[in-house]
Amino acid sequence: MLRLMKYELRKTLNVKLVLAAVTLIAEAAFLIGYFTRNETLYSLTALLLFMIASTGISVIGLWSLIVLHRDMNTRQGYMLFMTPNSCYRILGAKILECGLSILLAGAFFFLLGFLDVTLVMRLYNENIWQFLAEMLQTLNERLTITPANVLAVLFWLLSSWLCSVITAFLADILATSLLYGKKWNWLVAFALFILLNIGINWVILRVPATMSVVAQFAIQGVIGLAFSALMGYISATVMEKYLSV
């Protein structure tokens, strides 16, 4: 499994290096603007960093989906299914690599954002905790700044995105397996993705809003992970039946 994960990491490494390089350049520009008190520069680069952070995690998941699609639809990628590894191990390695990448990227961007916002708040003698509280309350008016609340929200966000990525995995695998070679199989995959997301969100939204905020976000995150595990298993089973050679 570790060897397969290293193989998957190599296939997705370039996009992560580009993302890291762009982040490093934007952060350097932000710090230059901050220490030279160039408000225009650090304001623009702060906005740029926010955009990089918000899209960066999405890009990691989407690129994993692109790699999976190529593996199933190109001769070079299809060689992977001829190795002495079951589809459960192959897909499991893809999901674990994607999940760990999303987790690490989320933690990195959160810490970087927290440090940058702290610097800006000090410059204007503002309370960073009040700022963060207002940000959290845009998600849920009952949220307050506590370590438990912050961790619960982060867990929910990351597990939700991972669930969306694996939902896309399943939709693509089903469409490719059943309609291999058809030019319009992407349309079927997209329709399946939408329908699966509607069903998953319906279940997640059944979590009572009357419980504590931490419990609500934590349970929703656990449900997302449970769906991820279930869809991962179904995806690997379909791959084993239709794509394994």
Side-chain angles (χ1 to χ4, degrees):
M1 181 68 78
L2 288 177
R3 183 175 297 178
L4 286 171
M5 288 182 65
K6 289 179 181 178
Y7 178 64
E8 292 302 323
L9 178 61
R10 286 199 298 270
K11 290 192 291 185
T12 60
L13 185 59
N14 287 341
V15 70
K16 293 169 185 173
L17 291 177
V18 171
L19 179 61
V22 171
T23 303
L24 181 62
I25 293 171
E27 180 65 17
F30 170 82
L31 292 175
I32 291 172
Y34 175 80
F35 287 112
T36 59
R37 297 298 188 268
N38 187 329
E39 185 174 352
T40 301
L41 179 59
Y42 71 70
S43 297
L44 289 176
T45 49
L47 178 61
L48 177 60
L49 283 165
F50 175 79
M51 294 174 63
I52 293 172
S54 59
T55 59
I57 297 175
S58 299
V59 167
I60 290 173
L62 290 173
W63 194 254
S64 294
L65 176 62
I66 291 171
V67 169
L68 171 65
H69 186 79
R70 287 176 178 172
D71 285 345
M72 294 190 298
N73 290 277
T74 63
R75 290 184 178 180
Q76 181 179 359
Y78 201 69
M79 293 294 290
L80 177 63
F81 297 99
M82 300 179 67
T83 62
N85 292 288
S86 69
C87 290
Y88 295 96
R89 289 172 61 86
I90 292 172
L91 186 62
K94 290 179 179 292
I95 291 174
L96 285 174
E97 190 279 327
C98 180
L100 287 173
S101 296
I102 289 174
L103 177 62
L104 293 175
F108 169 75
F109 283 120
F110 174 77
L111 291 175
L112 183 64
F114 181 83
L115 291 174
D116 288 346
V117 170
T118 299
L119 289 175
V120 174
M121 293 295 101
R122 285 182 178 177
L123 187 62
Y124 291 100
N125 294 319
E126 297 287 345
N127 189 330
I128 184 174
W129 301 111
Q130 180 61 34
F131 172 79
L132 292 177
E134 293 174 357
M135 291 289 291
L136 282 177
Q137 286 174 353
T138 61
L139 294 174
N140 188 307
E141 62 182 12
R142 295 186 296 148
L143 278 173
T144 57
I145 290 295
T146 66
N149 283 354
V150 172
L151 288 175
V153 170
L154 289 176
F155 172 66
W156 168 71
L157 287 171
L158 295 177
S159 63
S160 296
W161 177 235
L162 179 62
C163 184
S164 294
V165 172
I166 298 178
T167 302
F169 278 17
L170 176 58
D172 190 26
I173 289 168
L174 287 173
T176 299
S177 301
L178 302 176
L179 301 169
Y180 185 77
K182 303 295 184 180
K183 293 182 179 180
W184 43 271
N185 66 358
W186 65 269
L187 187 60
V188 175
F190 181 73
L192 285 171
F193 174 74
I194 296 298
L195 291 174
L196 287 169
N197 263 307
I198 290 174
I200 292 170
N201 287 331
W202 183 87
V203 174
I204 289 176
L205 291 176
R206 298 308 98 188
V207 177
T210 54
M211 60 177 58
S212 69
V213 176
V214 172
Q216 181 183 354
F217 279 97
I219 291 174
Q220 288 178 338
V222 169
I223 292 174
L225 291 181
F227 271 114
S228 298
L230 176 62
M231 290 187 295
Y233 177 78
I234 295 173
S235 298
T237 301
V238 173
M239 291 174 71
E240 190 75 18
K241 182 176 181 179
Y242 292 99
L243 300 178
S244 183
V245 293

